Amino acid sequence: MAAECVPEGPDLKEMSEEDVWELINDNRHRISLGVKPCMLIPYLRQARVLTEMDEDEILSCLKLNNSSMRTSHMLDLLRIQGRNGAMAMLESLMIHYPTIYTQVTGRKPSAVPSGFSGLIKYSDLTEYLVKALTGMQKELKEARQEASRLGSRCTSLEAQLGQTLERQEESRRLKADHGRMRKHLAAAHQDILELKDEKCSLYARYTAVIEERSAANIHCSDLNLQVYQLQFELSKAQTERDFERQRSLKCPTPSETQKLQDEISALRRQLLVPEKFTPAREDILAQDLVEVRDSHMELAEQLRCYREENEQLIREKQEMVEHKECLALQVQKLTLDCEMYQQNGTVKQSQLRELQTERDHACQSRDEAQAQIARSLAEKNTLRSAHTEWKFSWESQGSSSDSLPSSPSPRPRLRRMHAICPDSMRGCSIESGDVTPGSVRSQNVEPPCPETLRKREKSLCSETAECDNDFVFIPSGNEVEQSVMSPTPSCQSNNSDGLSRASAPPFLLRSRPRAMRITGRVLTISFQGEELLSQLQVVGGNKTGVFIHQVTEGSAANTVGISSGAQILEVKYEQAQQALRMVLEDSTLEEAIWALGQVRGFCHLSLRPNQDAYKNLLLQNGEAMSGDSFYVRVNMSLPGGSQDALTVSCNDILHITCTRPAGTDCSWRASHVHPCQLLDLKTGNLPNYYRAQRLLIRAIEDMSLQPMALRKARDKQKTVRIVSTGRQGRNPLWVCVEDVNDKSTGPGDASAPRGCLTLMPYTLVTPHYPPVCRPVLLLPTILGRVLDQKLAKWQGFQLCEPELLSSSEHAARLQRSEVLEESEQGGQRCYTLQSVERVMKQGTHCVLPLGLDCVRRLHRAEIFPIIIFIAQSKSRAARKLKSKVQCLGWSEEQLLECSRSEESLLDKLPCLYRIVSPDSWDDKTTLLTTLHSIILEEQKKIVWVEPDLW
């Protein structure tokens, strides 16, 4: 073993301090790239060349972005320790990185105790080597377990690969079957087309045969008529022949014959003489002839039209038959597609259930791992504290037994200057002679004694009790330079723990310069935030979060390391000797700029690195787009005015897409929203909250000064909706400020009147997508009693029936807010949420014979009724309707009073409603038809609900 470890390079013990460090600096690049500080720090801490504060600074400093920078910083700290630091560094390389040790020193690593410099005692060195060997064996065991696990995983993956190949082969076979079936389907489709063509030809032939048959029937009737005529002529000829035969048999005398001939000639002359008609009879005959001719022409035209209609009907019949066949084919295709989609849905649902199961297992494993890590850290801290106390007690006993009364004073050790805040040490000397080893703020390299640890713990506990432990104090760079360059008068070490913190804000925790605390991925940085908006430029909004876009060079924010791309979660600062906290995680850009503009001194920013979300905000030209997105309900009418201004009416729903648009002041960028879909329509500028609040106050003042007639005309148009809130002093749409006593107003309106800040020009709303059939509530309530029964008789509507409950069940449901309203019948009968839900599950509209008090109870159960208010008038139809109301026991005055009282309560509802104007209906039938069309129209719309502010 000794022959294998023969040194090849110079002996390190014989080299001077400069030569050793020159040897290390020559290989600094190799050491920085190949060494991890976390591996060497335990040995360096054991050798007492690094302190716990140095370890925290190396591993936790944000400016050290990678392992190379941390290693280089560690070498700088070891350089301060001189030769001990170099030897401890080389010995740690010899233990953990033997290859690098050989490359640096030219010597082979040796485990012989004589090969070490003696910075660590032999027993401690043996214990450390045993621990290192145990750790390596444990890592080897874990590596082997990981290899076995990966081997089993590889085996399972190979099995899965085999299954995948089998499935691929099966899918290939199925594809071949599918192709064959498609070919068969194409051949069958071709056969069907041929059969259709043959059927069409048969239909054509059948039509031709029918036409030929009809022609043959007509020809047959003509022939029958001709046969009848011929038979008549034949009978006539036979009669004449018989008569002649009889006459010839009689043999008349010539005189009789001559007489008969004379009579015949006379008759012939009479026949030749035309009959003379009277003029009136001629006119009648001529008119009859014209009418006969006209009727003949009309009949011919009708016959032609009938023939054309018959041909058109035949063609339409053929088209309908073809369309029917096409629809049958489409139905078959859709049936097949539906079955395929059902199978795909079943497969996807099973996959989703498997993924959910895997997710639950993963979450459980994560929780177990976190619990294991927490237990390991707690055990590690316990062991570390026990080890430290044991080591300090052992060293104190050894030093007390070895010390002699006449021993010379020990040589002062090397120390790193200004390890604490320069501001806290302005009254203390930097000389080592005035600082005792037992001081809490000691600058010596040697570890503190147990008394020092107790003092330090007591000091930190007292500081923690006074302030929030999530924040630290980071002075500016100028103060650090001044404290380092200018010497200060000396002071006793026992005063270093009791330094005054009056100059620091109440958030001060400890006085280490440029220190910061990391909690997960959230980083809290404290610095001097005077005119914070001049140091930072922010982008984003409530949808994406607020991000830092640009940081001013040379500012305090730039000095502490704040860069673009970090998301601002919250800001804490002090104002008028009061600590304020503003959460900006879900705030708008306008709200965030106002909150950051309130900072006038020392502040704490909680940041989260989120480069992906920040890059999504940036456009191609480097500019940032808006990150705001929320919906509001407008409580006043605003005319368009300028070309880019948006014209809105009262109760309109708007989508706010930017609260700080470029080039405009005190304006928002908004869009109208499609009533049935979340689609933006017309876009334009809108006054922001405080500007709109002033316009609302001015509109109310103008309305109070207008004549009564003009005011009634404007009331019909609904120009203003009065909505107020109890939160005063700031924008009620903002949620970041958590101090209820904040008396600062919004941006751009420092002199807003205090008495009018409760008026809200806009209210936040959220979209809800109701089920197939929403309940229906008709107002006024008295008029609704008349129309509910009639409307419930329509198809798709059903009247809500009261339930009979026992006393205990009634009390239980009343406590759970499931009782909507008591029934007028009494006897523990009441309308409940369950009765409404039962009707809705049947796919019908539930007609509610209730009042306005049930709306908020239904909203708490995620049920959003369609509210329809029927306005009253003095028309004849309204009088008829009022007469039917009077038949039910209510007077006209009661109806008008109920209408006025409930109309005034409509604006206090957290949802939209519809008003039926008196001009849109004439009687009860048209009113019910109008209500039916309104219900169908409202069913398709999105339900916008605002928070209940009343």
Side-chain angles (χ1 to χ4, degrees):
M1 187 70 183
E4 294 177 359
C5 299
V6 176
E8 299 177 0
D11 190 3
L12 297 177
K13 296 181 180 180
E14 299 177 358
M15 297 175 64
S16 63
E17 177 183 348
E18 297 297 332
D19 296 337
V20 174
W21 275 108
E22 184 178 358
L23 182 65
I24 295 175
N25 290 331
D26 291 341
N27 298 272
R28 188 185 186 96
H29 180 70
R30 182 183 291 110
I31 295 173
S32 299
L33 293 179
V35 172
K36 294 182 180 179
C38 59
M39 298 291 292
L40 305 183
I41 284 178
Y43 184 83
L44 299 176
R45 288 286 310 278
Q46 192 77 14
R48 302 181 185 178
V49 295
L50 286 181
T51 63
E52 184 179 359
M53 190 176 298
D54 297 332
E55 180 182 358
D56 293 340
E57 186 173 357
I58 293 171
L59 299 179
S60 303
C61 185
L62 289 180
K63 288 192 175 182
L64 306 178
N65 298 329
N66 49 44
S67 177
S68 299
M69 296 176 66
R70 294 188 183 97
T71 306
S72 180
H73 185 62
M74 182 181 67
L75 291 175
D76 295 338
L77 295 178
L78 292 174
R79 184 67 179 87
I80 300 175
Q81 304 299 327
R83 180 181 179 82
N84 291 341
M87 296 303 295
M89 178 66 185
L90 293 176
E91 289 172 1
S92 62
L93 288 177
M94 181 175 63
I95 296 173
H96 295 282
Y97 296 96
T99 306
I100 297 178
Y101 174 79
T102 304
Q103 294 175 357
V104 172
T105 61
R107 299 170 60 88
K108 292 183 179 180
S110 174
V112 179
S114 60
F116 290 88
S117 60
L119 294 176
I120 304 178
K121 294 183 180 181
Y122 179 74
S123 58
D124 296 342
L125 180 61
T126 303
E127 182 182 358
Y128 180 81
L129 292 176
V130 169
K131 289 183 180 180
L133 181 60
T134 305
M136 291 179 181
Q137 290 177 352
K138 186 177 180 180
E139 291 177 359
L140 180 60
K141 184 178 179 181
E142 292 177 355
R144 289 177 179 174
Q145 292 178 355
E146 182 70 16
S148 62
R149 189 183 65 81
L150 291 177
S152 60
R153 179 64 176 169
C154 182
T155 305
S156 63
L157 289 177
E158 288 177 354
Q160 293 178 4
L161 180 61
Q163 295 177 0
T164 304
L165 293 176
E166 293 177 359
R167 291 177 183 175
Q168 185 178 5
E169 185 67 26
E170 183 69 18
S171 64
R172 190 181 297 110
R173 186 179 61 79
L174 291 176
K175 285 182 180 179
D177 295 341
H178 179 65
R180 185 170 61 256
M181 293 297 292
R182 286 180 64 87
K183 291 180 181 178
H184 181 68
L185 181 62
H189 185 65
Q190 186 67 25
D191 295 340
I192 291 173
L193 292 178
E194 293 176 359
L195 290 175
K196 286 180 62 177
D197 295 338
E198 185 177 356
K199 190 175 181 180
C200 291
S201 64
L202 289 176
Y203 279 145
R205 290 173 59 189
Y206 178 71
T207 307
V209 169
I210 290 176
E211 291 178 354
E212 290 176 0
R213 180 181 177 183
S214 63
N217 290 333
I218 295 173
H219 185 61
C220 184
S221 62
D222 293 340
L223 291 177
N224 290 331
L225 181 60
Q226 291 178 6
V227 168
Y228 177 75
Q229 291 176 356
L230 290 174
Q231 288 177 355
F232 179 75
E233 291 178 358
L234 180 61
S235 63
K236 184 179 179 182
Q238 288 178 357
T239 305
E240 289 179 355
R241 187 191 64 181
D242 293 339
F243 181 74
E244 289 293 337
R245 183 180 296 176
Q246 290 177 3
R247 287 188 64 186
S248 63
L249 291 176
K250 289 180 179 181
C251 295
T253 58
S255 59
E256 292 178 356
T257 304
Q258 185 65 32
K259 186 179 179 178
L260 291 174
Q261 289 179 355
D262 292 339
E263 289 178 0
I264 291 171
S265 61
L267 290 172
R268 287 178 178 175
R269 283 194 299 273
Q270 289 179 2
L271 291 173
L272 294 174
V273 176
E275 183 179 3
K276 294 183 179 180
F277 300 101
T278 61
R281 188 173 181 182
E282 289 180 356
D283 294 338
I284 292 171
L285 292 174
Q287 187 176 0
D288 292 340
L289 180 61
V290 172
E291 289 179 356
V292 168
R293 288 177 179 176
D294 293 340
S295 62
H296 182 270
M297 294 177 64
E298 290 178 358
L299 290 174
E301 184 67 24
Q302 289 180 2
L303 181 60
R304 186 182 62 80
C305 293
Y306 289 154
R307 287 178 179 175
E308 292 179 355
E309 289 179 359
N310 189 18
E311 294 175 357
Q312 182 67 23
L313 289 175
I314 292 172
R315 288 194 297 270
E316 290 180 356
K317 180 180 178 181
Q318 293 178 356
E319 293 177 357
M320 291 298 293
V321 171
E322 294 177 356
H323 185 60
K324 178 182 177 182
E325 294 176 354
C326 294
L327 289 178
L329 291 175
Q330 291 180 1
V331 167
Q332 294 178 0
K333 291 180 181 179
L334 290 175
T335 304
L336 294 175
D337 293 341
C338 183
E339 293 177 356
M340 182 179 65
Y341 289 147
Q342 288 178 355
Q343 294 177 359
N344 292 337
T346 305
V347 173
K348 289 182 179 179
Q349 287 179 359
S350 62
Q351 293 177 356
L352 181 61
R353 286 193 293 270
E354 293 176 358
L355 289 175
Q356 289 177 352
T357 306
E358 292 180 359
R359 184 196 63 184
D360 295 338
H361 289 316
C363 293
Q364 185 177 2
S365 302
R366 181 199 62 190
D367 296 338
E368 293 177 356
Q370 289 179 353
Q372 184 70 22
I373 291 172
R375 288 193 296 269
S376 300
L377 291 176
E379 185 178 358
K380 176 184 174 183
N381 293 332
T382 305
L383 294 175
R384 176 177 291 176
S385 60
H387 178 266
T388 305
E389 291 179 359
W390 174 80
K391 183 175 65 176
F392 290 161
S393 62
W394 181 77
E395 288 181 355
S396 60
Q397 293 176 2
S399 59
S400 60
S401 61
D402 296 339
S403 59
L404 295 175
S406 60
S407 60
S409 60
R411 179 183 177 184
R413 300 187 180 184
L414 294 176
R415 59 189 179 278
R416 182 163 54 89
M417 305 301 293
H418 297 283
I420 60 175
C421 179
D423 293 339
S424 304
M425 296 296 295
R426 289 186 185 277
C428 300
S429 174
I430 62 175
E431 297 180 359
S432 60
D434 295 336
V435 181
T436 61
S439 175
V440 179
R441 305 295 182 180
S442 175
Q443 296 176 343
N444 291 336
V445 182
E446 62 182 10
C449 61
E451 182 182 359
T452 305
L453 291 177
R454 286 194 296 270
K455 291 181 179 180
R456 181 175 299 176
E457 183 177 0
K458 182 178 179 180
S459 174
L460 291 178
C461 290
S462 62
E463 292 176 357
T464 308
E466 295 177 359
C467 60
D468 186 5
N469 60 358
D470 286 346
F471 297 92
V472 297
F473 174 64
I474 301 179
S476 59
N478 296 331
E479 295 176 353
V480 175
E481 294 176 0
Q482 292 175 5
S483 61
V484 172
M485 296 301 295
S486 60
T488 56
S490 62
C491 67
Q492 298 296 329
S493 61
N494 54 2
N495 296 331
S496 60
D497 187 37
L499 292 176
S500 174
R501 292 191 295 270
S503 59
F507 307 103
L508 179 62
L509 174 63
R510 54 184 181 179
S511 57
R512 205 175 152 201
R514 300 183 183 276
M516 53 193 65
R517 180 179 182 270
I518 301 175
T519 306
R521 297 188 60 194
V522 179
L523 171 67
T524 302
I525 299 180
S526 304
F527 63 99
Q528 192 68 25
E530 204 57 54
E531 296 182 0
L532 187 57
L533 288 179
S534 63
Q535 303 181 28
L536 304 175
Q537 181 181 354
V538 295
V539 295
N542 66 309
K543 182 179 179 181
T544 59
V546 180
F547 294 87
I548 296 176
H549 185 46
Q550 291 181 358
V551 182
T552 305
E553 292 291 337
S555 60
N558 186 26
T559 304
V560 298
I562 298 178
S563 60
S564 60
Q567 182 182 359
I568 304 177
L569 301 182
E570 67 177 15
V571 57
K572 290 185 179 181
Y573 63 96
E574 184 181 12
Q575 188 179 46
Q577 296 182 355
Q578 184 180 8
L580 300 180
R581 175 175 176 265
M582 299 186 182
V583 181
L584 305 183
E585 192 169 3
D586 298 324
S587 64
T588 62
L589 183 60
E590 182 185 31
E591 181 182 0
I593 292 178
W594 176 82
L596 296 176
Q598 301 298 311
V599 179
R600 293 292 185 271
F602 195 83
C603 65
H604 311 274
L605 285 183
S606 294
L607 307 177
R608 176 190 294 161
N610 196 356
Q611 291 292 333
D612 296 336
Y614 173 68
K615 291 179 182 178
N616 294 334
L617 282 172
L618 299 180
L619 302 176
Q620 295 181 357
N621 55 1
E623 298 181 357
M625 61 181 182
S626 174
D628 293 322
S629 178
F630 58 94
Y631 296 90
V632 297
R633 177 181 176 183
V634 184
N635 299 326
M636 59 184 297
S637 297
L638 295 173
S642 61
Q643 184 177 3
D644 198 21
L646 191 64
T647 303
V648 296
S649 302
C650 188
N651 290 328
D652 280 353
I653 303 297
L654 300 180
H655 181 203
I656 309 300
T657 56
C658 183
T659 56
R660 295 280 295 195
T664 58
D665 190 15
C666 299
S667 297
W668 288 349
R669 195 69 178 173
S671 303
H672 284 285
V673 182
H674 194 278
C676 301
Q677 300 176 3
L678 285 180
L679 298 177
D680 293 344
L681 301 178
K682 186 178 180 181
T683 305
N685 289 333
L686 188 75
N688 67 350
Y689 188 87
Y690 290 100
R691 181 180 165 199
Q693 193 176 63
R694 292 194 296 269
L695 295 176
L696 177 59
I697 296 170
R698 190 180 306 164
I700 295 175
E701 293 175 351
D702 294 342
M703 289 174 59
S704 62
L705 298 176
Q706 288 176 355
M708 185 60 65
L710 185 59
R711 193 184 307 174
K712 290 183 178 180
R714 288 206 171 188
D715 287 341
K716 295 181 180 180
Q717 300 177 359
K718 196 62 180 176
T719 57
V720 172
R721 173 175 174 257
I722 305 299
V723 180
S724 62
T725 178
R727 296 180 294 180
Q728 298 184 4
R730 63 182 181 89
N731 190 336
L733 299 184
W734 289 0
V735 296
C736 75
V737 184
E738 295 189 354
D739 178 34
V740 296
N741 297 323
D742 183 17
K743 299 182 180 180
S744 59
T745 57
D749 191 19
S751 61
R754 292 284 299 169
C756 300
L757 283 174
T758 56
L759 295 177
M760 299 179 64
Y762 311 123
T763 51
L764 286 173
V765 291
T766 54
H768 294 271
Y769 301 92
V772 179
C773 294
R774 296 166 56 190
V776 179
L777 180 62
L778 299 180
L779 300 173
T781 308
I782 296 178
L783 191 58
R785 298 292 189 272
V786 179
L787 299 175
D788 288 342
Q789 299 289 342
K790 300 293 182 181
L791 186 62
K793 295 180 181 179
W794 286 54
Q795 185 179 3
F797 294 86
Q798 183 177 347
L799 187 65
C800 182
E801 298 294 339
E803 294 185 18
L804 180 60
L805 304 176
S806 61
S807 300
S808 58
E809 188 177 2
H810 180 270
R813 292 198 180 185
L814 192 63
Q815 186 177 5
R816 295 195 299 266
S817 300
E818 295 179 357
V819 177
L820 298 178
E821 190 173 310
E822 301 291 338
S823 176
E824 297 177 354
Q825 302 175 5
Q828 299 295 334
R829 287 184 175 271
C830 56
Y831 298 94
T832 61
L833 287 174
Q834 287 77 10
S835 59
V836 178
E837 291 175 351
R838 277 196 298 270
V839 177
M840 292 175 61
K841 288 179 180 178
Q842 298 176 4
T844 58
H845 293 279
C846 182
V847 182
L848 302 174
L850 307 174
L852 281 174
D853 295 336
C854 69
V855 175
R856 288 179 173 81
R857 298 189 183 97
L858 291 172
H859 281 191
R860 294 190 193 102
E862 297 295 327
I863 299 176
F864 306 100
I866 300 175
I867 304 173
I868 303 176
F869 183 82
I870 304 172
Q872 301 299 309
S873 66
K874 297 182 179 180
S875 62
R876 181 178 179 183
R879 286 196 297 271
K880 289 182 179 180
L881 202 58
K882 292 176 183 177
S883 64
K884 295 188 177 181
V885 171
Q886 292 176 357
C887 294
L888 296 178
W890 288 295
S891 62
E892 184 177 356
E893 290 76 11
Q894 290 177 342
L895 176 61
L896 294 176
E897 180 65 25
C898 178
S899 176
R900 285 194 294 267
S901 61
E902 291 184 351
E903 187 177 7
S904 61
L905 295 176
L906 289 176
D907 286 339
K908 297 184 179 181
L909 294 177
C911 60
L912 299 178
Y913 55 89
R914 283 290 295 269
I915 296 180
V916 181
S917 62
D919 301 333
S920 61
W921 55 281
D922 298 329
D923 53 4
K924 185 190 292 185
T925 305
T926 57
L927 177 58
L928 290 174
T929 306
T930 304
L931 292 177
H932 186 264
S933 61
I934 289 175
I935 292 170
L936 295 180
E937 181 181 352
E938 290 293 325
Q939 181 62 49
K940 301 176 182 177
K941 295 183 178 180
I942 300 174
V943 181
W944 298 95
V945 181
E946 63 186 15
D948 200 351
L949 302 174
W950 301 91

